[in-house]
């Protein structure tokens, strides 16, 4: 009887094992196992192979599209001698910069940073106020807004975007155009390129736009160049009305992000209007990106960020500027030959010695930030006497 029970129990165990073959075999590692066998044995946890084009299309719709690759905006670095520049001149430059009021200076040749200098306490991450170099950025945004159809052209009247201009009693103010603002020829009374200025009065006003528009008209619009941050602030206010957003946000979307500029900080006036004539700050490397963009006729990583026509117009002389050694004036850019080689250079210039210098025939960009309240031109010899003199024939 006991043997019969044992035989019966063994039979039950054998039948159970045969009904679940997977439990009786080790994990399959044989490479000769067919794809069909592998697929069928794992059908509980793998996606089935589509059996028709229609099913394949449905499956493909579920798979997300890969994110587009972002352009690599990182700077390239190289040594001066690989770009026909004498390295000894840069050694001499660094010796001259020690103890000066230059905070930082970077030179880009052929798209690569070939020289960089920082005073103690500063580095490539330091953010510097670039003051009136901001004006050149506002000019660039004007060109972008025109390309996008927010503005018809530089000849548009300021009153098209700031209707309060028409509230001014002097009807000649109604004729001020965007081009008059761009070329510093609005005719509005302003004292900034003089020892006695109305700068503090302007900056302490409760409403900057009203203060600027309230200045009396001393020359017919378009006739005389008189440098005025007020002109550029009116341009910034008009741009914000045209594009329907804060100018700093507009710059971030259409200028800073495409270039990889991440350090930019831009101030505002009491009404929240971007300080288009003065309030921008960033690293010298990011400022150099802007100069490089203009060197490349508005193209960055194959994208036309600023219309080439606008770049050309902006850096072409529109008047003789302030009639001094600063040079001619374009659309918020200065233009003049520099160095013993008389290299044609256009540049953004800010109070106390901030420079973004672009020399197209040398494929060269140099940025300088400094603290020379007594002499805005003091940093210029560091560029002309060292960087330009480093050019090897």
């Amino acid at each position: 009887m006991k043997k019969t029970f044992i035989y019966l129990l063994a039979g039950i165990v054998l039948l159970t094992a045969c009904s679940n073959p997977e439990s009786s075999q080790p994990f399959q590692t044989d490479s000769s196992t067919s794809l069909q066998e592998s697929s069928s044995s794992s059908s509980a946890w793998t996606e089935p192979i589509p059996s028709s084009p229609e099913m394949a299309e449905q499956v493909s719709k579920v798979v997300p599209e890969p994110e587009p690759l972002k352009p690599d905006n990182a700077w390239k670095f190289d040594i001066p001698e690989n770009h026909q520049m004498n390295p000894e001149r840069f050694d001499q430059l660094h010796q001259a910069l020690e103890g000066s009021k230059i905070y930082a200076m970077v030179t880009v040749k052929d798209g690569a940073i070939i020289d960089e200098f920082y005073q103690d306490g500063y580095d490539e991450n330091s953010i510097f106020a670039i003051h009136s170099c901001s004006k050149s950025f506002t000019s660039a945004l004007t060109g972008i807004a025109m390309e996008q159809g927010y503005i018809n052209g530089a000849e548009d009247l300021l009153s098209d975007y700031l209707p309060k201009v028409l509230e001014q009693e002097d009807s000649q103010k109604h004729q001020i155009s965007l081009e008059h603002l761009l070329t510093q020829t609005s005719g509005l009374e302003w004292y900034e390129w003089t020892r006695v200025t109305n700068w503090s009065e302007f900056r302490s006003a409760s409403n900057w736009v009203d203060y600027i528009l309230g200045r009396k008209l001393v020359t017919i619009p378009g006739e005389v160049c008189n440098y005025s941050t007020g002109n550029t602030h009116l341009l910034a206010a008009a741009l914000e009305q045209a594009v329907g957003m804060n100018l700093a946000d507009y710059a971030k979307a259409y200028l800073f992000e495409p270039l990889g500029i991440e350090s930019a900080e831009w101030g505002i006036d009491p009404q929240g209007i971007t300080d288009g004539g003065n309030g921008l700050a960033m690293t010298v490397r990011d400022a150099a990106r802007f100069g490089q963009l203009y060197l490349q006729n508005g193209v960055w990583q194959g994208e036309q960020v600023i219309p080439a026509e606008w770049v050309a117009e902006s850096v072409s002389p529109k008047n003789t500027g302030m009639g001094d050694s600063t040079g001619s004036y374009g659309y918020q850019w200065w233009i003049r030959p520099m160095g013993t080689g008389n290299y044609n250079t256009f540049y953004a210039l800010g109070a106390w010695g901030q420079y973004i210098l672009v020399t197209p025939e040398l494929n060269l960009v140099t940025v300088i930030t400094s603290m020379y309240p007594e002499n805005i031109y003091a940093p210029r010899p560091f560029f002309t006497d060292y960087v330009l003199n480093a050019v090897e024939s």
Side-chain angles (χ1 to χ4, degrees), residues 302-347:
E303 178 186 355
Q304 192 74 51
V305 178
I306 305 172
E309 297 83 358
W310 184 258
V311 172
E313 282 292 319
S314 299
V315 301
S316 298
K318 306 300 180 186
N319 55 58
T320 57
M322 297 303 289
D324 55 18
S325 66
T326 316
S328 302
Y329 203 70
Y331 285 164
Q332 308 281 290
W333 286 89
W334 296 95
I335 307 106
R336 62 156 292 167
M338 289 196 181
T340 55
N342 282 324
Y343 299 108
N344 289 321
T345 301
F346 59 86
Y347 62 105

Side-chain angles (χ1 to χ4, degrees), residues 8-86:
L8 181 60
L9 180 60
I12 293 172
V13 171
L14 181 60
L15 287 172
T16 303
C18 292
S19 66
N20 188 10
E22 289 183 0
S23 66
S24 63
Q25 297 181 14
F27 183 77
Q28 180 60 264
T29 60
D30 186 356
S31 60
S32 66
T33 302
S34 69
L35 177 62
Q36 184 177 358
E37 290 174 339
S38 175
S39 299
S40 61
S41 65
S42 58
S43 60
W45 54 273
T46 60
E47 188 176 10
I49 298 175
S51 59
S52 68
E54 291 77 11
M55 290 183 64
E57 183 179 357
Q58 291 177 359
V59 171
S60 67
K61 289 180 179 178
V62 177
V63 180
E65 291 290 330
E67 289 289 331
L69 294 176
K70 292 184 177 180
D72 182 7
N73 286 314
W75 276 114
K76 297 178 177 62
F77 296 84
D78 207 349
I79 54 178
E81 49 264 47
N82 287 344
H83 299 269
Q84 295 75 52
M85 302 288 279
N86 186 342

Side-chain angles (χ1 to χ4, degrees), residues 122-247:
Y122 302 98
D123 59 24
E124 67 274 11
N125 298 311
S126 299
I127 296 176
F128 303 97
I130 59 175
H131 300 301
S132 285
C133 289
S134 309
K135 293 176 171 66
S136 302
F137 286 81
T138 300
S139 172
L141 295 171
T142 304
I144 293 172
M146 288 181 187
E147 178 69 14
Q148 293 179 348
Y150 292 111
I151 294 173
N152 295 320
E155 68 280 358
D156 285 2
L157 294 177
L158 175 60
S159 60
D160 293 341
Y161 306 96
L162 294 181
K164 65 168 54 182
V165 174
L166 300 177
E167 299 172 7
Q168 298 296 313
E169 292 184 5
D170 188 339
S171 61
Q172 284 191 319
K173 290 182 182 180
H174 305 173
Q175 303 307 311
I176 296 174
S177 69
L178 300 185
E179 180 152 16
H180 295 147
L181 302 177
L182 286 160
T183 57
Q184 302 288 11
T185 59
S186 70
L188 293 169
E189 182 184 37
W190 203 265
Y191 302 101
E192 191 170 339
W193 211 263
T194 53
R195 188 172 298 277
V196 178
T197 76
N198 61 305
W199 179 261
S200 296
E201 187 177 85
F202 159 52
R203 302 298 279 193
S204 62
S206 59
N207 187 307
W208 292 5
V209 170
D210 287 350
Y211 172 84
I212 302 163
L213 289 177
R215 305 294 291 177
K216 65 182 180 181
L217 202 69
V218 293
T219 59
I220 297 173
E223 286 193 349
V224 177
C225 178
N226 182 36
Y227 188 87
S228 165
T229 296
N231 285 334
T232 316
H233 193 66
L234 290 180
L235 180 61
L239 280 173
E240 291 195 352
Q241 289 300 309
V243 302
M245 62 190 299
N246 179 272
L247 197 61

